[in-house]
Amino acid sequence: MSIKHKMPIKIGDTVIIISGFHKNETGEVIKINHQTGKIIVKGINFKFKHVKPNTENEIGEIKQFEAPIHHSNVTLKLNEMS
């Protein structure tokens, strides 16, 4: 049985990271996984993946991608309206 986590965060919301290495940084939510309770934030939590060449003609490369963050480590950024 899979548990769906209830989150007040939607795709496209601006969030602030409240704990971890990227504390006090802001970014936009790109993707949400309700089953694991994790979100992907644009420009935050980059990881590197080293890819070996599969054939002789290919070259190896290092791919950079955004890793997911648990939803409890972020909060919505409130817009101040005048």
Side-chain angles (χ1 to χ4, degrees), residues 15 17 26-31 39-45 66-69 74:
V15 294
I17 312 300
T26 60
E28 182 182 344
V29 177
I30 299 173
K31 190 175 181 183
I39 63 172
I40 296 178
V41 182
K42 185 176 185 179
I44 304 291
N45 200 21
E66 289 136 347
I69 303 172
V74 301

mmCIF file of all heavy atoms in Angstrom, residues 15 17 26-31 39-45 66-69 74:
data_model
loop_
_atom_site.group_PDB
_atom_site.id
_atom_site.type_symbol
_atom_site.label_atom_id
_atom_site.label_comp_id
_atom_site.label_asym_id
_atom_site.label_seq_id
_atom_site.Cartn_x
_atom_site.Cartn_y
_atom_site.Cartn_z
ATOM 1 N N VAL A 15 9.714 28.449 -3.555
ATOM 2 C CA VAL A 15 9.931 27.943 -2.196
ATOM 3 C C VAL A 15 11.286 28.380 -1.676
ATOM 4 O O VAL A 15 12.188 28.724 -2.435
ATOM 5 C CB VAL A 15 9.835 26.391 -2.153
ATOM 6 C CG1 VAL A 15 8.436 25.922 -2.457
ATOM 7 C CG2 VAL A 15 10.830 25.747 -3.079
ATOM 8 N N ILE A 17 14.403 27.053 0.866
ATOM 9 C CA ILE A 17 14.975 25.889 1.531
ATOM 10 C C ILE A 17 15.246 26.279 2.980
ATOM 11 O O ILE A 17 15.922 27.283 3.234
ATOM 12 C CB ILE A 17 16.276 25.424 0.849
ATOM 13 C CG1 ILE A 17 16.104 25.314 -0.663
ATOM 14 C CG2 ILE A 17 16.769 24.121 1.453
ATOM 15 C CD1 ILE A 17 15.047 24.357 -1.121
ATOM 16 N N THR A 26 16.323 30.231 -2.652
ATOM 17 C CA THR A 26 14.976 30.135 -3.202
ATOM 18 C C THR A 26 15.029 29.535 -4.601
ATOM 19 O O THR A 26 16.038 29.637 -5.297
ATOM 20 C CB THR A 26 14.292 31.516 -3.285
ATOM 21 O OG1 THR A 26 15.073 32.364 -4.120
ATOM 22 C CG2 THR A 26 14.149 32.141 -1.916
ATOM 23 N N GLY A 27 13.925 28.918 -4.989
ATOM 24 C CA GLY A 27 13.830 28.330 -6.316
ATOM 25 C C GLY A 27 12.392 27.967 -6.633
ATOM 26 O O GLY A 27 11.506 28.016 -5.779
ATOM 27 N N GLU A 28 12.166 27.578 -7.888
ATOM 28 C CA GLU A 28 10.833 27.236 -8.358
ATOM 29 C C GLU A 28 10.682 25.716 -8.403
ATOM 30 O O GLU A 28 11.582 25.001 -8.819
ATOM 31 C CB GLU A 28 10.621 27.809 -9.762
ATOM 32 C CG GLU A 28 9.257 27.545 -10.334
ATOM 33 C CD GLU A 28 9.124 28.087 -11.749
ATOM 34 O OE1 GLU A 28 9.956 28.915 -12.154
ATOM 35 O OE2 GLU A 28 8.191 27.656 -12.434
ATOM 36 N N VAL A 29 9.521 25.227 -7.973
ATOM 37 C CA VAL A 29 9.245 23.792 -7.961
ATOM 38 C C VAL A 29 9.003 23.317 -9.390
ATOM 39 O O VAL A 29 8.159 23.862 -10.099
ATOM 40 C CB VAL A 29 8.030 23.471 -7.071
ATOM 41 C CG1 VAL A 29 7.700 21.990 -7.134
ATOM 42 C CG2 VAL A 29 8.286 23.897 -5.641
ATOM 43 N N ILE A 30 9.761 22.302 -9.820
ATOM 44 C CA ILE A 30 9.642 21.753 -11.172
ATOM 45 C C ILE A 30 8.790 20.482 -11.174
ATOM 46 O O ILE A 30 7.962 20.285 -12.055
ATOM 47 C CB ILE A 30 11.036 21.420 -11.744
ATOM 48 C CG1 ILE A 30 11.878 22.665 -11.835
ATOM 49 C CG2 ILE A 30 10.914 20.735 -13.086
ATOM 50 C CD1 ILE A 30 13.304 22.388 -12.230
ATOM 51 N N LYS A 31 9.004 19.620 -10.168
ATOM 52 C CA LYS A 31 8.355 18.311 -10.160
ATOM 53 C C LYS A 31 8.053 17.905 -8.722
ATOM 54 O O LYS A 31 8.817 18.226 -7.812
ATOM 55 C CB LYS A 31 9.282 17.285 -10.814
ATOM 56 C CG LYS A 31 8.676 15.951 -11.084
ATOM 57 C CD LYS A 31 9.666 15.069 -11.843
ATOM 58 C CE LYS A 31 9.049 13.723 -12.129
ATOM 59 N NZ LYS A 31 9.986 12.827 -12.802
ATOM 60 N N ILE A 39 10.399 16.735 -3.679
ATOM 61 C CA ILE A 39 10.186 17.698 -4.763
ATOM 62 C C ILE A 39 11.529 18.027 -5.409
ATOM 63 O O ILE A 39 12.576 17.862 -4.793
ATOM 64 C CB ILE A 39 9.510 18.990 -4.248
ATOM 65 C CG1 ILE A 39 10.392 19.711 -3.232
ATOM 66 C CG2 ILE A 39 8.150 18.700 -3.660
ATOM 67 C CD1 ILE A 39 9.882 21.074 -2.840
ATOM 68 N N ILE A 40 11.461 18.494 -6.655
ATOM 69 C CA ILE A 40 12.661 18.953 -7.356
ATOM 70 C C ILE A 40 12.527 20.459 -7.546
ATOM 71 O O ILE A 40 11.519 20.937 -8.070
ATOM 72 C CB ILE A 40 12.827 18.237 -8.703
ATOM 73 C CG1 ILE A 40 13.052 16.742 -8.463
ATOM 74 C CG2 ILE A 40 13.984 18.834 -9.491
ATOM 75 C CD1 ILE A 40 13.190 15.919 -9.720
ATOM 76 N N VAL A 41 13.541 21.195 -7.095
ATOM 77 C CA VAL A 41 13.545 22.655 -7.153
ATOM 78 C C VAL A 41 14.586 23.100 -8.167
ATOM 79 O O VAL A 41 15.723 22.623 -8.146
ATOM 80 C CB VAL A 41 13.853 23.257 -5.759
ATOM 81 C CG1 VAL A 41 13.803 24.767 -5.805
ATOM 82 C CG2 VAL A 41 12.881 22.728 -4.724
ATOM 83 N N LYS A 42 14.187 24.012 -9.045
ATOM 84 C CA LYS A 42 15.063 24.493 -10.111
ATOM 85 C C LYS A 42 16.266 25.242 -9.527
ATOM 86 O O LYS A 42 16.113 26.166 -8.747
ATOM 87 C CB LYS A 42 14.269 25.413 -11.041
ATOM 88 C CG LYS A 42 15.017 25.880 -12.248
ATOM 89 C CD LYS A 42 14.112 26.693 -13.147
ATOM 90 C CE LYS A 42 14.808 27.078 -14.419
ATOM 91 N NZ LYS A 42 13.912 27.837 -15.300
ATOM 92 N N GLY A 43 17.477 24.793 -9.906
ATOM 93 C CA GLY A 43 18.707 25.471 -9.497
ATOM 94 C C GLY A 43 19.212 25.104 -8.116
ATOM 95 O O GLY A 43 20.173 25.693 -7.632
ATOM 96 N N ILE A 44 18.589 24.116 -7.459
ATOM 97 C CA ILE A 44 18.969 23.732 -6.097
ATOM 98 C C ILE A 44 19.332 22.242 -6.075
ATOM 99 O O ILE A 44 18.730 21.440 -6.769
ATOM 100 C CB ILE A 44 17.806 23.980 -5.108
ATOM 101 C CG1 ILE A 44 17.342 25.440 -5.164
ATOM 102 C CG2 ILE A 44 18.185 23.592 -3.685
ATOM 103 C CD1 ILE A 44 18.322 26.449 -4.615
ATOM 104 N N ASN A 45 20.319 21.888 -5.249
ATOM 105 C CA ASN A 45 20.709 20.492 -4.982
ATOM 106 C C ASN A 45 21.189 19.768 -6.247
ATOM 107 O O ASN A 45 20.672 18.727 -6.613
ATOM 108 C CB ASN A 45 19.555 19.734 -4.325
ATOM 109 C CG ASN A 45 20.025 18.490 -3.614
ATOM 110 O OD1 ASN A 45 21.188 18.366 -3.269
ATOM 111 N ND2 ASN A 45 19.115 17.559 -3.401
ATOM 112 N N GLU A 66 19.371 18.052 -11.122
ATOM 113 C CA GLU A 66 18.838 18.457 -9.828
ATOM 114 C C GLU A 66 18.271 17.234 -9.110
ATOM 115 O O GLU A 66 17.460 16.509 -9.660
ATOM 116 C CB GLU A 66 17.744 19.510 -10.013
ATOM 117 C CG GLU A 66 18.306 20.836 -10.465
ATOM 118 C CD GLU A 66 17.497 21.472 -11.581
ATOM 119 O OE1 GLU A 66 16.661 20.793 -12.174
ATOM 120 O OE2 GLU A 66 17.731 22.644 -11.841
ATOM 121 N N ALA A 67 18.715 17.010 -7.900
ATOM 122 C CA ALA A 67 18.242 15.880 -7.106
ATOM 123 C C ALA A 67 17.043 16.320 -6.258
ATOM 124 O O ALA A 67 16.903 17.499 -5.936
ATOM 125 C CB ALA A 67 19.360 15.374 -6.205
ATOM 126 N N PRO A 68 16.174 15.376 -5.898
ATOM 127 C CA PRO A 68 14.994 15.742 -5.102
ATOM 128 C C PRO A 68 15.328 16.107 -3.661
ATOM 129 O O PRO A 68 16.327 15.663 -3.098
ATOM 130 C CB PRO A 68 14.122 14.498 -5.160
ATOM 131 C CG PRO A 68 15.006 13.398 -5.595
ATOM 132 C CD PRO A 68 16.153 13.991 -6.323
ATOM 133 N N ILE A 69 14.448 16.934 -3.069
ATOM 134 C CA ILE A 69 14.558 17.371 -1.674
ATOM 135 C C ILE A 69 13.252 16.988 -0.989
ATOM 136 O O ILE A 69 12.184 17.097 -1.587
ATOM 137 C CB ILE A 69 14.747 18.900 -1.582
ATOM 138 C CG1 ILE A 69 15.969 19.340 -2.362
ATOM 139 C CG2 ILE A 69 14.843 19.361 -0.144
ATOM 140 C CD1 ILE A 69 16.088 20.842 -2.477
ATOM 141 N N VAL A 74 11.442 22.442 2.908
ATOM 142 C CA VAL A 74 11.134 23.662 2.175
ATOM 143 C C VAL A 74 9.861 24.294 2.733
ATOM 144 O O VAL A 74 9.053 23.629 3.371
ATOM 145 C CB VAL A 74 10.958 23.422 0.658
ATOM 146 C CG1 VAL A 74 12.205 22.837 0.043
ATOM 147 C CG2 VAL A 74 9.774 22.542 0.371
#
